[in-house]
Amino acid sequence: MKQKIAVQVDDLTVAYNYKPVLWDIDLEIPEGVLMAIVGPNGAGKSTLIKSILGILKPIAGSISVYGKPYEKQRSLVAYVPQKGSVDWDFPTTALDVVMMGTYGSLGWIKRPGQKEKKAALEALEKVGMLPFKNRQISQLSGGQQQRIFLARALVQDASIYFMDEPFQGVDASTEIAIINILKALRKAGKTVIVVHHDLQTVPEYFDWVTFLNVKKIATGPVKDIFNDDNLTKTYGINYKVSIQE
Amino acid sequence: MTISEYFSLIFSDYTLRTITLGTAVLGAVTGMLGSFAVLRKQSLLGDAISHAALPGIALAFLITGAKDSNMLLLGALVSGLIGTFWIRGIIKKTHLKSDTALGLILSLFFGFGMLLLTFIQKQPNANQAGLDKYLFGQAATLVESDVWLMTIVTAICLFVLLLFWKEFKMLLFDADYTKTLGFNTKLIDVLITSFIVLAIVLGLQTVGVVLMSAMLLAPAAAARQWTNSLSVMVFLAALFGAFSGVFGTAISASQNNLSTGPVIVIVAGVFVLISFVFSPSRGLLFKQIRFIKNRRDLELHKTLAFMFHIAETHDNISHPHAIKILNNFQGYTKNTLQKLVDKNYVTIVGDHWSLTEQGFKTASNLYNQQNENNE
């Protein structure tokens, strides 16, 4: 049986100035996978998901989500930005940030009500942050801040989740909590795409992987393509990871 | 006229009432919008915009030949907006950093404005006098129609702010995320920036181009110290701004019509200073007090823990020990021992101390508590 394609990227090329950051990317992400995007620094991993989400304007290429242009399918997609991309000294509480996840479905002007608050509290519960709901966000640890971002995306109740380095700078317990949530999402039939740095954990956490270094090197099931050959092609040097059997 | 006379005259004197109302409204609207500028890290933008307005004022005067404040402000608005767009353009199209773009536009426009002002002053037109008031502001020149204009703009601004509160808040915190939810971030951005420009232009007559940005930043910076909620911050900034405006104008009017701008800015500066020092959660004073208190508590706890380890070795936890042993312990002073006695953790008989039941319990829990606090 052929799997449905959740996200399709065609001929995507992105450049900041003259030098292309992404070159002619074609990518099909099947529904229901938990996919890692790996590659060295400057490979364009974050740029790839930012371009898919319309945050960056590509020079060429098109994105479709479940067969339709991304712009029409926004409600199916949720985004977890890098933790460092915002100022955590912003005057607001954990609950307030998570509530932002409901703003998309609310649309312009309409205020969140009880229903939205309930959804936000449930999401906080899922990431184990309910006791911190009224905490000023600057008083949260790095791991807790990451969980808040995750909860904000969970509130959106999307089908596809894009996450930019959710494991960066978090403690071990948060890492386990996050990966459990990601696995639960996959179990519920969602598609999860994660920019990931730690090659050691790829086989353990993910079932799908895309190797990226400006160009797409390879994409497919971890068990088939996560090997020294692709790693070497992506990272340039003779890169070897010991994959535990 | 003294300041107290000024305030007693506000209710009877028409001119004073107009001026006071005007500066209060101005302070409120700039404080409010200043919160957004500060949180967007665009503090310097206000400075650039106000300086960029100067050539507009001079050109409007040259074209109309009259000193109608509405026409002058229109000129200020146009050149302020041009300056803003140029700044954005420079940042976008070149590799220059935003501070460079801001500094460049600020000084270029201000220089050009000063050039025009000196040119105007050489003209034989009797009308020219007083145009230089726009440099440092003169609240005394405010008339009722100016105040009405300020009030209307403030009301519109407040309305839009409440209407798009959710969108503004989200954009300020996380613009990329806002985009992914399908909101037109450019529109929200233009809305915020236009209001900031408008507020600055309205304040030029009162505070002047040179110091206008302080009206935007000082109340917001002060307000941030007192709260962790955006809505409270905006409200407090409006309040601080209004008070700065009123007090500044009162002082300037009662002291031989000093330029209003500098006086208002100094009053606003006092608000900032007080806030930086005395705010309970972020202020320097309470931070220092908390720091000292924490250190003392820690010293106390360490002494108690030391005693606990000695007492632990005996079956009877309240077995007396010589005070002399404690001298070996670094953190020990007579003072800490007395404090432990006050807290009923320790009793002293002669030159021997013994732990009480309560002291023993507290000490055995210390390590666990310390762990919880670090969570």
Side-chain angles (χ1 to χ4, degrees):
Chain A
M1 190 186 81
K2 197 174 180 299
Q3 263 177 306
K4 260 209 262 180
I5 299 301
V7 181
Q8 176 145 4
V9 179
D10 288 311
D11 305 325
L12 183 74
T13 297
V14 182
Y16 286 127
N17 296 308
Y18 307 106
K19 214 175 138 201
V21 185
L22 290 174
W23 183 254
D24 203 18
I25 306 280
D26 291 310
L27 186 62
E28 281 183 350
I29 306 172
E31 182 181 43
V33 297
L34 180 44
M35 183 178 99
I37 301 174
V38 298
N41 289 334
K45 304 186 292 290
S46 295
T47 306
L48 176 61
I49 65 173
K50 280 185 179 169
S51 311
I52 293 175
L53 292 165
I55 297 167
L56 294 173
K57 209 170 168 259
I59 286 175
S62 64
I63 314 294
S64 64
V65 172
Y66 284 114
K68 289 184 193 152
Y70 163 71
E71 287 74 20
K72 294 191 174 157
Q73 304 277 63
R74 278 186 204 275
S75 60
L76 298 178
V77 178
Y79 174 47
V80 179
Q82 274 187 29
K83 183 160 55 68
S85 66
V86 301
D87 175 12
W88 288 94
D89 197 36
F90 191 81
T92 193
T93 60
L95 178 62
D96 261 357
V97 172
V98 177
M99 292 276 266
M100 288 176 189
T102 68
Y103 288 5
S105 58
L106 280 170
W108 287 90
I109 298 172
K110 228 173 124 194
R111 296 290 176 94
Q114 282 307 315
K115 191 178 130 220
E116 284 73 24
K117 192 173 174 189
K118 199 170 149 255
L121 290 173
E122 277 170 17
L124 277 167
E125 170 95 75
K126 273 186 208 160
V127 299
M129 287 293 292
L130 200 53
F132 300 90
K133 65 176 159 86
N134 293 323
R135 197 63 86 81
Q136 150 71 16
I137 54 172
S138 67
Q139 283 155 15
L140 298 170
S141 72
Q144 291 171 333
Q145 290 172 346
Q146 189 64 60
R147 290 182 199 210
I148 292 298
F149 260 11
L150 189 60
R152 183 176 68 171
L154 291 178
V155 170
Q156 290 180 249
D157 197 23
S159 307
I160 304 165
Y161 292 80
F162 286 92
M163 308 192 181
D164 204 344
E165 304 207 20
F167 301 112
Q168 197 184 42
V170 302
D171 50 282
S173 67
T174 298
E175 178 150 347
I176 293 165
I178 292 176
I179 196 63
N180 284 337
I181 288 166
L182 300 195
K183 285 179 175 170
L185 284 172
R186 179 182 52 187
K187 218 172 166 191
K190 317 280 189 185
T191 310
V192 184
I193 296 115
V194 179
V195 171
H196 195 57
H197 247 303
D198 183 10
L199 292 171
Q200 303 289 343
T201 53
V202 169
E204 187 189 335
Y205 290 173
F206 300 95
D207 57 11
W208 211 264
V209 65
T210 293
F211 289 94
L212 187 75
N213 191 353
V214 184
K215 292 176 192 174
K216 183 190 78 182
I217 312 292
T219 183
V222 170
K223 60 178 171 14
D224 297 341
I225 68 158
F226 194 71
N227 51 39
D228 289 346
D229 183 34
N230 279 326
L231 283 165
T232 307
K233 273 190 207 157
T234 308
Y235 286 85
I237 48 167
N238 196 6
Y239 207 105
K240 289 208 175 180
V241 266
S242 50
I243 300 165
Q244 281 128 16
E245 293 297 323
Chain B
M1 183 168 58
T2 66
I3 293 183
S4 55
E5 276 170 1
Y6 178 92
F7 281 110
S8 62
L9 278 174
I10 283 178
F11 298 100
S12 54
D13 188 287
Y14 170 80
T15 316
L16 283 189
R17 196 167 54 214
T18 308
I19 295 170
T20 309
L21 263 177
T23 46
V25 171
L26 175 72
V29 71
T30 50
M32 209 155 73
L33 290 165
S35 307
F36 291 98
V38 167
L39 290 174
R40 293 214 71 188
K41 314 217 177 317
Q42 286 185 333
S43 302
L44 271 175
L45 185 66
D47 211 16
I49 294 169
S50 66
H51 281 77
L54 188 62
I57 294 171
L59 282 174
F61 175 80
L62 280 175
I63 293 167
T64 63
K67 225 171 48 202
D68 173 33
S69 69
N70 287 337
M71 285 315 290
L72 297 186
L73 289 188
L74 192 66
L77 184 66
V78 172
S79 85
L81 283 173
I82 293 174
T84 314
F85 284 120
W86 281 12
I87 291 166
R88 286 163 157 264
I90 291 174
I91 296 170
K92 235 180 171 174
K93 302 276 186 249
T94 72
H95 291 291
L96 292 174
K97 294 271 181 296
S98 64
D99 57 342
T100 315
L102 287 167
L104 202 66
I105 294 297
L106 181 153
S107 34
L108 276 178
F109 274 63
F110 186 66
F112 183 51
M114 285 307 288
L115 191 99
L116 289 174
L117 272 193
T118 42
F119 172 73
I120 290 169
Q121 270 158 11
K122 295 259 157 63
Q123 300 284 303
N125 185 341
N127 240 335
Q128 65 178 11
L131 216 54
D132 56 341
K133 290 262 157 46
Y134 281 93
L135 280 180
F136 291 106
Q138 195 61 277
T141 58
L142 284 178
V143 294
E144 201 183 320
S145 63
D146 298 329
V147 178
W148 272 115
L149 187 65
M150 281 180 192
T151 313
I152 291 166
V153 171
T154 307
I156 295 172
C157 171
L158 197 64
F159 177 73
V160 172
L161 200 69
L162 290 175
L163 201 63
F164 297 109
W165 180 258
K166 161 175 126 254
E167 287 78 10
F168 283 164
K169 183 175 181 175
M170 185 161 54
L171 181 83
L172 288 177
F173 177 63
D174 194 345
D176 281 356
Y177 183 74
T178 310
K179 222 172 184 178
T180 66
L181 293 185
F183 289 97
N184 185 341
T185 49
K186 234 179 213 159
L187 183 72
I188 310 174
D189 196 34
V190 166
L191 217 53
I192 295 181
T193 313
S194 316
F195 273 114
I196 291 177
V197 174
L198 210 57
I200 287 172
V201 167
L202 283 178
L204 294 180
Q205 200 180 348
T206 317
V207 183
V209 296
V210 178
L211 295 171
M212 191 54 214
S213 68
M215 277 305 277
L216 220 51
L217 307 182
R224 179 68 189 91
Q225 295 295 310
W226 297 96
T227 176
N228 280 325
S229 146
L230 180 63
S231 44
V232 178
M233 176 180 167
V234 172
F235 175 75
L236 278 181
L239 204 66
F240 290 163
F243 272 111
S244 311
V246 170
F247 280 114
T249 313
I251 294 168
S252 119
S254 53
Q255 309 296 324
N256 207 8
N257 271 348
L258 291 171
S259 286
T260 335
V263 185
I264 290 181
V265 166
I266 285 169
V267 175
V270 172
F271 273 106
V272 174
L273 191 69
I274 291 172
S275 305
F276 279 179
V277 177
F278 295 106
S279 133
S281 63
R282 298 165 76 99
L284 296 175
L285 182 69
F286 289 97
K287 253 189 197 163
Q288 193 60 31
I289 289 174
R290 268 200 302 277
F291 178 71
I292 293 170
K293 190 181 167 298
N294 279 344
R295 271 190 87 119
R296 290 224 177 108
D297 283 355
L298 223 55
E299 268 168 23
L300 209 65
H301 287 161
K302 286 216 86 164
T303 311
L304 189 63
F306 182 71
M307 292 167 139
F308 171 78
H309 287 308
I310 298 169
E312 229 181 2
T313 57
H314 295 266
D315 290 337
N316 174 15
I317 51 156
S318 294
H319 181 90
H321 298 274
I323 290 180
K324 266 196 235 158
I325 324 178
L326 296 176
N327 289 338
N328 297 330
F329 181 63
Q330 213 187 353
Y332 163 75
T333 60
K334 282 213 172 98
N335 206 351
T336 46
L337 189 62
Q338 189 53 48
K339 267 195 195 143
L340 288 170
V341 173
D342 291 346
K343 290 197 167 190
N344 210 14
Y345 291 161
V346 174
T347 51
I348 296 179
V349 181
D351 54 0
H352 281 70
W353 61 266
S354 55
L355 274 182
T356 63
E357 188 78 25
Q358 200 192 344
F360 187 81
K361 252 193 205 154
T362 313
S364 61
N365 282 330
L366 267 182
Y367 182 70
N368 297 337
Q369 275 173 12
Q370 210 62 44
N371 271 3
E372 270 167 36
N373 287 343
N374 286 342
E375 276 278 308

